[in-house]
Amino acid sequence: SAVISQKPSRDICQRGTSLTIQCQVDSQVTMMFWYRQQPGQSLTLIATANQGSEATYESGFVIDKFPISRPNLTFSTLTVSNMSPEDSSIYLCSCPGKTGNEQYFGPGTRLTVT
Amino acid sequence: AQSVTQLGSHVSVSEGALVLLRCNYSSSVPPYLFWYVQYPNQGLQLLLKYTSAATLVKGINGFEAEFKKSETSFHLTKPSAHMSDAAEYFCAVSDLNQGGSEKLVFGKGTKLTVNP
C-alpha cells in the first residue's frame, strides 16, 4: 500500500484567506484524489487530479474555489480559497492501490475557519 | 450513480460481543465494495474489499464481510469485539467520476462504541 503524508495536519484560518494543503505519496501514481469530510459527515470527492492535465471536479465544486496542482507523479496541492466557516472540514487526499479499485488515504488536514 | 446506505449511525456493543455493521448498495451490476475504518483524528484505513473473487471477504483485525447480491448487502462482522475496535466505519462503493475514471462513494458512516 502507498504511504501518504499531508501538510499541514491542522490549521485555524480567518475567513477570506486561502490555505494550500500539500499531499505527498511515496510512489508514483497516475491519479490522486481530494475529498472533504465535513464535521460529523461522510467523505465527498472534490476532484480527481491527473498529472499533466487539468483536475476533474465533481458537481458542486469549482476550480476557482478549490484550485489543484499536480506538478509530478508523487505530489499534489489543494487550495481552499476565500475561506468561510462553512469550509471548516477535514480534507483528505488519496491515491489508487496497485491491485484493484481501492484507495489509500492520507491522515487528513483539519481546517477550522473563524 | 452508485450509492451506499449504512443502517445505524451509532452501534454500541460489549467487549467480546459480535459486531455487525450494515451496508446496502444500489447497483444493478456487482460493484466493487469496500469497508474503511477511521480512528479518531486519523485518516481512513482499508479494512477489506470485495472485487467479485469471493463472496466472503476477510480483512484485517479479524473483520470480514459477506457480499449478498440478492439482498444488495455487504455487512461487516467481527465475532468478538475488542476495545481497540472503537472507531467510525465507512462502507464505500466504486463509481465513475465526472471524467469517467473510478472514484469512491461513501456511506454516512457508523460509529462503533465498545463497552467494557
Side-chain angles (χ1 to χ4, degrees):
Chain A
S1 64
V3 177
I4 303 175
S5 59
Q6 286 185 233
K7 289 181 182 179
S9 58
R10 59 178 62 226
D11 207 341
I12 301 174
C13 301
Q14 292 192 342
R15 67 173 67 208
T17 62
S18 299
L19 176 71
T20 296
I21 302 168
Q22 299 178 6
C23 179
Q24 179 77 52
V25 185
D26 69 342
S27 58
Q28 294 185 339
V29 293
T30 305
M31 288 189 294
M32 294 176 72
F33 305 90
W34 286 98
Y35 288 84
R36 181 176 72 181
Q37 185 178 21
Q38 294 177 300
Q41 302 295 317
S42 186
L43 283 77
T44 302
L45 181 66
I46 298 171
T48 303
N50 290 322
Q51 197 271 334
S53 63
E54 292 284 330
T56 302
Y57 288 83
E58 295 298 295
S59 178
F61 297 97
V62 295
I63 187 171
D64 289 347
K65 176 67 176 177
F66 298 102
I68 288 171
S69 78
R70 185 77 205 276
N72 58 52
L73 290 173
T74 64
F75 188 78
S76 178
T77 68
L78 169 77
T79 298
V80 186
S81 303
N82 188 24
M83 289 184 285
S84 67
E86 292 71 34
D87 295 319
S88 297
S89 297
I90 300 173
Y91 293 86
L92 300 102
C93 66
S94 71
C95 68
K98 293 181 180 177
T99 58
N101 297 67
E102 74 275 13
Q103 292 181 17
Y104 294 99
F105 286 81
T109 296
R110 186 179 295 269
L111 171 62
T112 302
V113 183
T114 60
Chain B
Q2 304 277 23
S3 66
V4 290
T5 302
Q6 291 185 240
L7 294 176
S9 58
H10 289 83
V11 170
S12 181
V13 301
S14 298
E15 191 174 18
L18 171 72
V19 176
L20 171 61
L21 305 182
R22 299 177 187 273
C23 173
N24 289 88
Y25 65 91
S26 67
S27 175
S28 59
V29 297
Y32 294 122
L33 291 159
F34 310 87
W35 275 100
Y36 284 85
V37 60
Q38 186 177 35
Y39 298 101
N41 299 315
Q42 294 188 27
L44 272 72
Q45 181 180 7
L46 180 66
L47 272 179
L48 50 80
K49 62 179 180 180
Y50 168 76
T51 57
S52 76
T55 56
L56 183 62
V57 182
K58 294 187 183 299
I60 62 172
N61 301 339
F63 284 93
E64 62 182 36
E66 186 172 9
F67 174 76
K68 291 187 176 180
K69 183 179 178 180
S70 61
E71 299 177 7
T72 60
S73 69
F74 189 58
H75 301 332
L76 182 71
T77 60
K78 181 174 181 177
S80 177
H82 192 272
M83 296 295 290
S84 61
D85 294 326
E88 187 147 24
Y89 292 80
F90 292 94
C91 182
V93 65
S94 58
D95 199 357
L96 296 178
N97 68 8
Q98 297 280 32
S101 54
E102 298 254 355
K103 69 174 182 179
L104 293 181
V105 175
F106 286 86
K108 292 186 181 297
T110 298
K111 188 170 185 178
L112 176 66
T113 301
V114 181
N115 302 308

